[in-house]
Amino acid sequence: MKHPILYRVVFYSCFTTLCVAVLTLLTLMNDAPFKSSDMRLAYFHGCNFGSRPLTNESVHECSRTADMFKETLDDLDKQMEKLNELKHNE
């Protein structure tokens, strides 16, 4: 190693840049509005993406599964709200 200081500067700058990027992305994720309707739509498109060729049956199956996914997320939201209310009441 001819220039150990140079290697350290490059390593620490890469490490710092990576940490800042991760923290920035986590901050942006906290601000993102995750609604169950958005998640349903994402699940629906992902389901349709995997099944080729698209038929009416596969589209209806994906729609039905995406609706169940949305209902599950809505139920989880209600349970989390009840849990938060119980914590605040204590």
Side-chain angles (χ1 to χ4, degrees), residues 41-69:
L41 193 60
Y43 189 88
F44 178 73
H45 289 308
C47 182
N48 281 330
F49 181 73
S51 57
R52 298 283 186 232
L54 286 177
T55 61
N56 285 338
E57 292 91 24
S58 66
V59 171
H60 289 302
E61 180 66 26
C62 285
S63 178
R64 188 179 63 81
T65 307
D67 287 338
M68 286 190 334
F69 183 65

Side-chain angles (χ1 to χ4, degrees), residues 19-90:
C19 289
V20 168
V22 167
L23 290 174
T24 303
L25 290 174
L26 285 174
T27 303
L28 291 175
M29 277 183 62
N30 284 336
D31 295 334
F34 291 110
K35 295 183 235 164
S36 59
S37 60
D38 297 336
M39 298 303 288
R40 182 222 177 266
L41 193 60
Y43 189 88
F44 178 73
H45 289 308
C47 182
N48 281 330
F49 181 73
S51 57
R52 298 283 186 232
L54 286 177
T55 61
N56 285 338
E57 292 91 24
S58 66
V59 171
H60 289 302
E61 180 66 26
C62 285
S63 178
R64 188 179 63 81
T65 307
D67 287 338
M68 286 190 334
F69 183 65
K70 182 185 179 303
E71 290 173 11
T72 303
L73 289 176
D74 288 339
D75 290 341
L76 286 173
D77 286 342
K78 289 176 187 173
Q79 290 176 9
M80 289 300 292
E81 286 175 7
K82 287 180 184 177
L83 185 64
N84 286 336
E85 286 176 9
L86 288 175
K87 284 184 180 179
H88 288 288
N89 289 337
E90 290 180 355

